Amino acid sequence: MSTPQIPDSAVPEPGPRRTRSGAVIVGPTVAARYVPGALIGLPLISVLLSPFAGAGLQQWRLGRLRGGHDGLLEQLLSPAWVQLLTGALLLWALFALWAIVPMLVTHRVVHLDEAAGTLTLRKGLRTTDRADISEVDHAVGEAERGSIALIGLRARPRHGEPEDRQWVVQEIGWDARSFDGLRVLQAAAGLRPAPPRGVLVRENRRRRIARSNHELAERLGMPWRPQYEYDEEAFRAEFDRVRRVLGGKEEPRPADPE
């Protein structure tokens, strides 16, 4: 797949995330990946499961009452809506804790110190490898979510390394700032920086639509024109006309399928 070409003057400056010391973060941070799920996805799941948690709180309250305990907490949990709300909040906290632990353990990013020209591979809270920016052979990644970045490093004979190595950064296309970290790394390594994530996402979407339209045209026997690659409205207009022709509602033209 070719990379869309845009004038250098029209390319905005990358805006990657940085550490407190100023190092560029190549890839998403834990917070960038965790916050959307913790604030949107997990609350929805907690609300759906809140009746089960509320029933558990009700049983706990009844057990406390049978044991002779009738304090402020038991009185506050008396209304059913309080039990549901409390159950949802407890589930939210529990799910949030379960979600953050594996993410902290498996999270992998690269820190680029532009001043020192060094790279640091971090997995979880540990530093697992280091390299100089001059060792970077390639740094590639897709802009779509779920994609990874591959950073190839040449072997350092003075350190006795037998072969080249490659770092993997997960979710490089999580958002624009995550992808901008890769763009900064590419520029620092003397490679051609990729276009901004938004440009690549729009181009990928255009290609998917054009591929789908091409399949529709083949099913009808409709001639495919190069302009349809970029003009979806022109394709839809011609596609609808050909369908009317095949349905006998419009007179055919010489190049129309029979």
Side-chain angles (χ1 to χ4, degrees):
M1 182 177 65
S2 61
T3 302
Q5 301 293 327
I6 54 179
D8 293 338
S9 59
V11 178
E13 287 294 325
R17 296 181 179 88
R18 294 179 180 270
T19 63
R20 293 181 180 180
S21 61
V24 174
I25 301 177
V26 182
T29 60
V30 172
R33 296 181 59 190
Y34 177 74
V35 170
L39 297 183
I40 301 175
L42 295 182
L44 293 177
I45 297 176
S46 301
V47 170
L48 292 175
L49 299 178
S50 60
F52 300 98
L57 289 174
Q58 174 68 355
Q59 293 298 320
W60 176 85
R61 176 178 175 274
L62 292 177
R64 295 278 296 178
L65 292 176
R66 285 193 294 266
H69 302 280
D70 191 11
L72 179 60
L73 182 59
E74 287 78 14
Q75 295 176 9
L76 289 176
L77 290 176
S78 177
W81 68 270
V82 175
Q83 297 172 10
L84 291 174
L85 178 60
T86 305
L89 293 176
L90 290 175
L91 287 176
W92 186 4
L94 180 61
F95 292 156
L97 180 62
W98 282 350
I100 192 65
V101 171
M103 186 173 293
L104 284 173
V105 173
T106 62
H107 187 69
R108 183 177 298 189
V109 293
V110 172
H111 291 177
L112 165 62
D113 189 335
E114 296 176 282
T118 58
L119 298 171
T120 303
L121 177 64
R122 296 183 60 85
K123 182 177 180 181
L125 302 177
R126 300 179 297 109
T127 297
T128 58
D129 201 357
R130 299 179 184 274
D132 295 332
I133 192 66
S134 59
E135 299 172 42
V136 176
D137 178 70
H138 61 267
V140 295
E142 296 291 335
E144 300 289 344
R145 285 194 174 185
S147 59
I148 62 174
L150 300 177
I151 302 174
L153 302 172
R154 292 182 289 268
R156 296 176 290 187
R158 65 183 184 277
H159 292 167
E161 294 178 356
E163 58 184 11
D164 299 345
R165 61 197 193 278
Q166 185 166 256
W167 292 352
V168 178
V169 179
Q170 301 171 343
E171 291 290 354
I172 192 64
W174 180 261
D175 56 16
R177 299 186 69 185
S178 302
F179 195 75
D180 279 349
L182 178 64
R183 296 175 61 210
V184 172
L185 171 60
Q186 291 169 335
L191 306 173
R192 181 177 178 83
R197 178 179 181 271
V199 174
L200 295 177
V201 169
R202 289 191 294 270
E203 176 66 11
N204 290 340
R205 179 180 178 276
R206 183 197 66 77
R207 290 177 180 274
R208 287 194 297 268
I209 293 175
R211 186 165 54 250
S212 176
N213 290 342
H214 203 164
E215 293 175 357
L216 291 175
E218 289 181 349
R219 292 178 184 178
L220 292 187
M222 169 184 163
W224 181 260
R225 299 175 183 175
Q227 72 179 97
Y228 297 155
E229 286 282 343
Y230 298 91
D231 193 344
E232 185 182 4
E233 292 184 0
F235 168 79
R236 286 295 173 183
E238 182 66 9
F239 181 76
D240 291 340
R241 188 193 67 81
V242 171
R243 285 200 305 173
R244 291 193 298 270
V245 169
L246 295 178
K249 298 181 179 180
E250 188 172 327
E251 291 297 323
R253 297 176 183 175
D256 288 342
E258 297 181 359

